[in-house]
Each structure stands twice: as C-alpha cells, then as structure tokens.
Amino acid sequence: MFLNQPYRSALMGLAFVLASMTVHAAPVVNQAAPLFSGAAADGSRINLADLRGKTVVLEWTNHECPFVVKHYESGNIPNLQKGAAAKGIVWLQVISSAPGKQGYIDGETAKKLNAERGAEPANTVFDPDGKIGKLYEATNTPQFFIINPEGVLVYKGGIDSIPSADKEDIAKAENYVSAALAELDAGKPVSQPVTKPYGCTVKYSG
C-alpha cells in the first residue's frame, strides 16, 4: 500500500525524532559507552574508539572546585590514578569548563597542575564547548565513568559515599571508584554500577 505525501512526511519526521533521541540518549550502564574525540594536554587527540581493549576511567574535573581539591590535596585521586596506571587502565581527566569559567585551563597549565599535585592521569582531555560532557550528561566535578575493555559503560557516579569537601571524611567513606575497579580486575560485575555524584556543577558555557 502506498502512502500519500502527508503520511510519508509524518513518518519521516517521526523517524528523524527517534533517531535523534537515540543519538542523544543518556549513557546507560551495561550498554556501549558514547564515543568521542577531543584535544589532549600533550597535543594529541584522544579517540575513545582507539582505546578498545583497555579499561578506561573518565574523570570530570575542575581544579578550583573545593570537592576536587579535597581529593587531590589528600592524595586520594592521585593514588587511584597511579594504581590504575599500574594495571594498564587508561585514566583520562576531562575538563568541560568553558572559556572564562572556573576550571578552564590550557594544556601546559594542566600538565603543571598535575605535576604539582602528584597526579598521574594518562592524559587530560579538553571539552571547552561541552560536547563530551553533555554526551555523558556529566553534572559534577568530580564525577566518574568507567568503561570496560569491550567498550561497555560499567560505572557512572561519584567517587565515594560521603558528599563533603572535608578531607577527614575520605577515610570513613566507601570509595565507589576503587571498588568498581577492583571488581573489574577480579572479573566480577560492578556491584554498585550507578551512584549519585557530588561536588561542583560542571561549568558549561552559557
């Protein structure tokens, strides 16, 4: 049966809307992680697709955020980064702060900051237009996404269970990121794949 032009146009419009919803769907745990590429602090370009076969940690960060400062000055995040690197995990900081907003920096500044803090991410990805952050629906700094070697998102959420900027709370908190990485290393599913992130809001443009 042939459809007349108005019906064909309506169906095509519906198909476009559905396709758009698929493209911009929120990242879902146990489904393929959204692919992206972005400029990195070392002058290279990071493509997530090129990292297939490795566990990848995405850490949304803003060095001026008190919650981020807590986890860096205490050595908490740097220690997680070093432990991850020792196991071949690719740890990427992602900075979605827009130009003129809190946390916006360039590559040289990012490298200098990490050296001063004893931080050892594999690289820092810059997202000044917010496309990567919005693709992942990142809302806070710090916030984490863990992708397994098959390219599947297995964790999204906060770093730990106590939403404060007090360093004294780190020892009392359950560290969700280290627990998830340990379970992956043991070949187990992540027992808490989704948690609530806390911290500063991501400083997108607008």
Side-chain angles (χ1 to χ4, degrees):
M1 182 177 70
F2 293 99
L3 298 175
N4 61 28
Q5 184 60 37
Y7 282 113
R8 285 202 303 272
S9 298
L11 287 173
M12 289 176 66
L14 178 60
F16 177 79
V17 169
L18 291 173
S20 298
M21 290 172 63
T22 301
V23 169
H24 298 291
V28 178
V29 165
N30 295 325
Q31 292 189 18
L35 296 178
F36 66 84
S37 68
D42 64 359
S44 68
R45 190 160 190 89
I46 299 294
N47 289 286
L48 184 61
D50 295 339
L51 299 175
R52 183 66 63 89
K54 293 181 177 291
T55 297
V56 177
V57 177
L58 303 179
E59 172 209 344
W60 259 262
T61 190
N62 167 357
H63 72 285
E64 296 181 276
C65 170
F67 297 90
V68 172
V69 171
K70 160 193 172 180
H71 289 288
Y72 273 90
E73 287 191 348
S74 65
N76 191 30
I77 286 179
N79 289 336
L80 287 172
Q81 293 169 340
K82 291 169 188 174
K87 294 183 177 180
I89 295 169
V90 178
W91 188 296
L92 299 173
Q93 295 171 325
V94 183
I95 299 176
S96 292
S97 295
K101 300 278 189 174
Q102 184 193 65
Y104 176 78
I105 52 176
D106 59 19
E108 289 305 311
T109 304
K111 290 188 285 186
K112 182 174 181 287
L113 276 169
N114 282 329
E116 291 172 349
R117 299 181 296 181
E120 295 185 11
N123 219 325
T124 304
V125 179
F126 298 108
D127 178 39
D129 59 10
K131 287 182 179 178
I132 302 172
K134 291 171 184 176
L135 182 66
Y136 275 79
E137 297 194 345
T139 55
N140 296 86
T141 54
Q143 186 171 352
F144 296 82
F145 298 81
I146 301 176
I147 301 161
N148 73 11
E150 288 72 47
V152 174
L153 182 68
V154 294
Y155 176 80
K156 64 177 183 177
I159 186 170
D160 64 26
S161 59
I162 301 181
S164 84
D166 187 350
K167 296 175 192 174
E168 300 300 317
D169 287 330
I170 292 174
K172 298 178 285 185
E174 178 184 1
N175 192 304
Y176 299 132
V177 173
S178 63
L181 291 174
E183 288 171 330
L184 283 175
D185 189 50
K188 299 177 181 178
V190 176
S191 55
Q192 294 190 78
V194 181
T195 65
K196 185 176 178 58
Y198 68 86
C200 303
T201 57
V202 176
K203 309 306 180 187
Y204 292 116
S205 60

